[in-house]
Coordinates of all heavy atoms in Angstrom, one line a residue:
F1 N 21.5 16.8 -2.2 CA 20.7 15.8 -1.4 C 21.4 15.5 -0.1 O 20.8 15.3 1.0 CB 20.6 14.6 -2.2 CG 19.6 14.7 -3.4 CD1 19.8 14.0 -4.5 CD2 18.5 15.5 -3.3 CE1 18.9 14.1 -5.6 CE2 17.6 15.7 -4.3 CZ 17.8 15.0 -5.5
A2 N 22.8 15.5 -0.1 CA 23.5 15.2 1.1 C 23.3 16.3 2.1 O 23.2 16.1 3.3 CB 25.0 15.0 0.8
D3 N 23.3 17.6 1.6 CA 23.1 18.7 2.5 C 21.7 18.6 3.2 O 21.6 18.7 4.4 CB 23.2 20.0 1.7 CG 24.6 20.5 1.4 OD1 25.5 19.9 1.9 OD2 24.7 21.4 0.5
M4 N 20.7 18.4 2.4 CA 19.4 18.4 2.9 C 19.1 17.2 3.8 O 18.3 17.4 4.8 CB 18.3 18.3 1.7 CG 18.3 19.6 0.9 SD 16.7 19.9 0.0 CE 16.7 18.4 -1.0
A5 N 19.8 16.1 3.7 CA 19.7 15.0 4.6 C 20.1 15.4 6.0 O 19.7 14.8 7.0 CB 20.5 13.8 4.1
M6 N 20.9 16.5 6.1 CA 21.5 16.9 7.4 C 20.6 18.1 8.0 O 20.8 18.5 9.1 CB 22.9 17.4 7.3 CG 23.8 16.3 6.8 SD 23.9 14.9 7.9 CE 24.7 15.7 9.3
Y7 N 19.7 18.7 7.2 CA 18.9 19.8 7.6 C 17.8 19.3 8.5 O 17.0 18.5 8.1 CB 18.4 20.6 6.5 CG 19.4 21.3 5.6 CD1 19.0 21.7 4.3 CD2 20.7 21.5 6.0 CE1 19.9 22.4 3.5 CE2 21.6 22.1 5.2 CZ 21.2 22.6 3.9 OH 22.1 23.2 3.1
P8 N 17.6 19.8 9.7 CA 16.6 19.3 10.6 C 15.2 19.8 10.2 O 14.2 19.2 10.7 CB 17.0 19.9 12.0 CG 17.8 21.2 11.6 CD 18.5 20.8 10.4
H9 N 15.1 20.7 9.3 CA 13.8 21.3 8.9 C 13.3 20.8 7.5 O 12.4 21.3 6.9 CB 13.8 22.8 8.9 CG 14.6 23.4 7.9 ND1 15.9 23.0 7.6 CD2 14.4 24.5 7.0 CE1 16.4 23.7 6.6 NE2 15.5 24.6 6.2
V10 N 14.1 19.7 7.0 CA 13.7 19.2 5.7 C 13.3 17.7 5.9 O 14.0 16.9 6.5 CB 14.9 19.2 4.7 CG1 14.6 18.5 3.4 CG2 15.2 20.7 4.4
F11 N 12.1 17.4 5.4 CA 11.6 16.0 5.5 C 11.5 15.4 4.1 O 10.8 16.0 3.2 CB 10.2 16.0 6.2 CG 10.3 16.6 7.6 CD1 10.2 18.0 7.8 CD2 10.4 15.8 8.7 CE1 10.3 18.6 9.0 CE2 10.5 16.4 9.9 CZ 10.4 17.7 10.1
Q12 N 12.2 14.3 3.9 CA 12.2 13.7 2.6 C 11.6 12.2 2.7 O 11.9 11.6 3.7 CB 13.6 13.6 2.0 CG 14.3 15.0 1.9 CD 15.6 14.9 1.2 OE1 15.6 14.8 0.0 NE2 16.7 15.0 2.0
T13 N 10.9 11.9 1.7 CA 10.3 10.5 1.7 C 10.2 10.0 0.3 O 9.9 10.8 -0.7 CB 8.9 10.4 2.3 OG1 8.4 9.1 2.2 CG2 7.9 11.4 1.7
E14 N 10.4 8.7 0.1 CA 10.2 8.1 -1.2 C 9.3 6.8 -0.9 O 9.4 5.9 -1.7 CB 11.5 7.7 -1.9 CG 12.3 9.0 -2.3 CD 13.6 8.6 -3.1 OE1 13.8 7.4 -3.3 OE2 14.3 9.5 -3.4
D15 N 8.6 6.9 0.2 CA 7.8 5.7 0.6 C 6.5 5.7 -0.1 O 5.4 5.6 0.5 CB 7.6 5.9 2.1 CG 7.1 4.6 2.8 OD1 7.2 3.6 2.1 OD2 6.6 4.7 3.9
Y16 N 6.5 5.7 -1.5 CA 5.3 5.8 -2.2 C 4.4 4.6 -2.2 O 3.3 4.6 -2.4 CB 5.6 6.2 -3.6 CG 6.4 7.5 -3.8 CD1 7.4 7.6 -4.7 CD2 6.2 8.6 -2.9 CE1 8.1 8.8 -4.8 CE2 6.9 9.7 -2.9 CZ 7.9 9.9 -3.9 OH 8.6 11.0 -4.0
E17 N 5.1 3.4 -1.9 CA 4.3 2.2 -1.9 C 3.3 2.2 -0.8 O 2.4 1.3 -0.7 CB 5.2 1.0 -1.9 CG 6.0 0.8 -0.7 CD 7.4 1.5 -0.8 OE1 7.5 2.4 -1.6 OE2 8.3 1.1 0.0
H18 N 3.5 3.0 0.2 CA 2.6 3.1 1.4 C 1.8 4.4 1.3 O 1.6 5.1 2.4 CB 3.4 3.0 2.7 CG 4.2 1.7 2.8 ND1 3.5 0.4 2.8 CD2 5.5 1.4 2.9 CE1 4.5 -0.5 2.9 NE2 5.6 0.1 3.0
A19 N 1.5 4.8 0.1 CA 0.9 6.2 -0.1 C -0.4 6.3 0.7 O -0.8 7.5 1.1 CB 0.6 6.4 -1.5
G20 N -1.1 5.3 1.1 CA -2.4 5.4 1.8 C -2.2 5.4 3.3 O -3.2 5.7 4.0
Q21 N -1.0 5.3 3.8 CA -0.8 5.3 5.2 C -0.3 6.6 5.7 O 0.4 7.3 5.1 CB 0.3 4.2 5.6 CG -0.2 2.8 5.2 CD 0.9 1.8 5.6 OE1 1.9 2.1 6.3 NE2 0.7 0.6 5.1
P22 N -0.8 7.0 6.9 CA -0.3 8.3 7.5 C 1.2 8.4 7.7 O 1.8 7.4 8.1 CB -1.0 8.4 8.8 CG -2.2 7.5 8.7 CD -1.7 6.4 7.8
H23 N 1.8 9.5 7.3 CA 3.2 9.7 7.6 C 3.4 10.1 9.1 O 2.5 10.6 9.7 CB 3.7 10.8 6.7 CG 5.2 11.0 6.7 ND1 5.8 11.9 7.6 CD2 6.2 10.4 6.1 CE1 7.1 11.9 7.4 NE2 7.4 11.0 6.5
E24 N 4.6 9.8 9.6 CA 4.9 10.1 11.0 C 4.7 11.6 11.4 O 4.5 11.9 12.5 CB 6.3 9.7 11.3 CG 7.4 10.4 10.6 CD 8.8 9.9 10.9 OE1 8.9 8.9 11.6 OE2 9.8 10.6 10.4
M25 N 4.8 12.5 10.4 CA 4.6 13.9 10.7 C 3.1 14.3 10.7 O 2.8 15.5 11.2 CB 5.4 14.8 9.7 CG 6.9 14.8 10.0 SD 7.3 15.3 11.7 CE 6.7 17.0 11.6
Q26 N 2.3 13.5 10.3 CA 0.8 13.9 10.2 C 0.3 14.2 11.6 O 0.4 13.4 12.6 CB 0.0 12.8 9.6 CG -1.5 13.2 9.4 CD -2.3 12.0 8.8 OE1 -2.8 11.2 9.6 NE2 -2.5 12.0 7.5
G27 N -0.2 15.5 11.8 CA -0.7 15.9 13.1 C 0.3 16.4 14.0 O 0.0 16.7 15.2
K28 N 1.6 16.4 13.6 CA 2.7 16.8 14.5 C 3.5 18.0 14.1 O 4.5 18.3 14.6 CB 3.6 15.6 14.7 CG 3.0 14.4 15.3 CD 4.0 13.2 15.4 CE 3.3 12.0 16.0 NZ 4.3 10.9 16.1
W29 N 2.9 18.7 13.1 CA 3.7 19.9 12.6 C 3.8 21.0 13.6 O 4.8 21.7 13.7 CB 3.1 20.4 11.3 CG 3.3 19.5 10.2 CD1 2.5 18.5 9.7 CD2 4.6 19.3 9.5 NE1 3.0 17.8 8.7 CE2 4.3 18.3 8.5 CE3 5.8 19.9 9.5 CZ2 5.3 17.9 7.6 CZ3 6.8 19.6 8.6 CH2 6.5 18.5 7.6
H30 N 2.7 21.2 14.4 CA 2.8 22.3 15.4 C 3.8 21.9 16.5 O 4.5 22.8 17.1 CB 1.4 22.5 16.1 CG 0.5 23.3 15.2 ND1 -0.6 22.8 14.6 CD2 0.6 24.6 14.8 CE1 -1.2 23.7 13.9 NE2 -0.5 24.8 14.0
D31 N 4.0 20.6 16.7 CA 5.0 20.1 17.7 C 6.4 20.5 17.1 O 7.3 20.9 17.9 CB 4.9 18.6 18.0 CG 3.6 18.3 18.7 OD1 3.0 19.1 19.4 OD2 3.2 17.1 18.6
F32 N 6.6 20.2 15.9 CA 7.9 20.5 15.2 C 8.2 22.0 15.3 O 9.3 22.4 15.7 CB 7.8 20.1 13.8 CG 9.0 20.6 13.0 CD1 10.3 20.0 13.1 CD2 8.9 21.7 12.2 CE1 11.4 20.5 12.4 CE2 10.0 22.2 11.5 CZ 11.2 21.6 11.6
F33 N 7.2 22.9 15.0 CA 7.4 24.3 15.0 C 7.4 24.9 16.5 O 7.8 26.0 16.7 CB 6.4 25.0 14.2 CG 6.5 24.9 12.7 CD1 5.5 24.3 12.0 CD2 7.6 25.4 12.1 CE1 5.7 24.1 10.6 CE2 7.8 25.3 10.7 CZ 6.8 24.6 10.0
K34 N 7.0 24.1 17.4 CA 6.9 24.5 18.9 C 6.0 25.6 19.1 O 6.3 26.5 19.9 CB 8.3 24.7 19.4 CG 9.2 23.5 19.4 CD 10.6 23.9 20.0 CE 11.5 22.6 20.1 NZ 11.7 22.0 18.8
N35 N 4.9 25.7 18.4 CA 3.9 26.8 18.5 C 2.6 26.3 17.9 O 2.5 25.3 17.3 CB 4.4 28.1 17.9 CG 4.6 28.0 16.5 OD1 3.7 27.6 15.7 ND2 5.8 28.4 16.0
D36 N 1.5 27.1 18.2 CA 0.2 26.8 17.6 C -0.2 27.8 16.5 O -1.3 27.9 16.2 CB -0.9 26.8 18.7 CG -0.7 25.7 19.7 OD1 -0.3 24.6 19.3 OD2 -0.9 25.9 20.9
A37 N 0.8 28.4 15.9 CA 0.6 29.4 14.9 C 0.1 28.8 13.6 O 0.2 27.6 13.3 CB 1.9 30.2 14.6
P38 N -0.6 29.6 12.8 CA -1.2 29.0 11.5 C -0.1 28.5 10.6 O 1.1 28.9 10.6 CB -1.8 30.3 10.9 CG -2.1 31.2 12.0 CD -1.0 31.0 13.0
I39 N -0.5 27.5 9.8 CA 0.4 26.8 8.9 C 0.0 27.1 7.5 O -1.2 26.8 7.1 CB 0.5 25.3 9.2 CG1 1.2 25.0 10.5 CG2 1.3 24.6 8.0 CD1 1.2 23.5 10.9
T40 N 0.9 27.5 6.6 CA 0.6 27.7 5.2 C 1.6 26.8 4.4 O 2.7 26.7 4.7 CB 0.9 29.2 4.8 OG1 0.0 30.0 5.5 CG2 0.8 29.4 3.3
L41 N 1.0 26.2 3.4 CA 1.7 25.3 2.5 C 2.0 26.0 1.1 O 1.1 26.7 0.6 CB 1.0 24.0 2.1 CG 0.6 23.1 3.3 CD1 0.0 21.8 2.7 CD2 1.7 22.8 4.2
E42 N 3.2 25.9 0.6 CA 3.5 26.3 -0.8 C 3.6 24.9 -1.6 O 4.6 24.3 -1.4 CB 4.7 27.1 -1.0 CG 4.9 27.6 -2.4 CD 6.3 28.2 -2.7 OE1 7.1 28.3 -1.8 OE2 6.4 28.6 -3.8
L43 N 2.7 24.6 -2.4 CA 2.7 23.3 -3.1 C 3.3 23.5 -4.5 O 2.9 24.4 -5.2 CB 1.3 22.8 -3.3 CG 0.5 22.5 -2.0 CD1 -0.8 21.9 -2.3 CD2 1.3 21.6 -1.0
G44 N 4.3 22.7 -4.8 CA 5.1 22.9 -6.0 C 6.0 24.1 -5.8 O 6.1 25.0 -6.6
C45 N 6.7 24.1 -4.7 CA 7.5 25.3 -4.2 C 8.7 25.6 -5.1 O 9.3 26.7 -4.9 CB 7.8 25.1 -2.8 SG 9.1 23.9 -2.4
G46 N 9.2 24.6 -5.9 CA 10.4 24.9 -6.7 C 11.6 25.2 -5.8 O 12.0 24.5 -4.9

């Protein structure tokens, strides 16, 4: 967990009590990747 807290490409949240509110990354993933390329999710990625 300490390692991942330092990784710039890992986003962690336990803000479940605000589950209905948009996260700060919503709509900004292409800005993070610095491109407009397609985005694929692996859900339950293990």
Side-chain angles (χ1 to χ4, degrees):
F1 288 146
D3 283 349
M4 292 204 300
M6 301 298 293
Y7 294 163
H9 68 315
V10 175
F11 300 84
Q12 303 188 76
T13 177
E14 295 183 1
D15 192 18
Y16 303 144
E17 65 271 22
H18 301 299
Q21 299 179 11
H23 188 266
E24 61 182 9
M25 285 302 297
Q26 189 182 80
K28 298 180 180 178
W29 289 100
H30 284 112
D31 294 336
F32 168 77
F33 287 116
K34 297 181 174 61
N35 61 54
D36 293 324
I39 293 176
T40 295
L41 304 185
E42 183 191 4
L43 300 182
C45 69

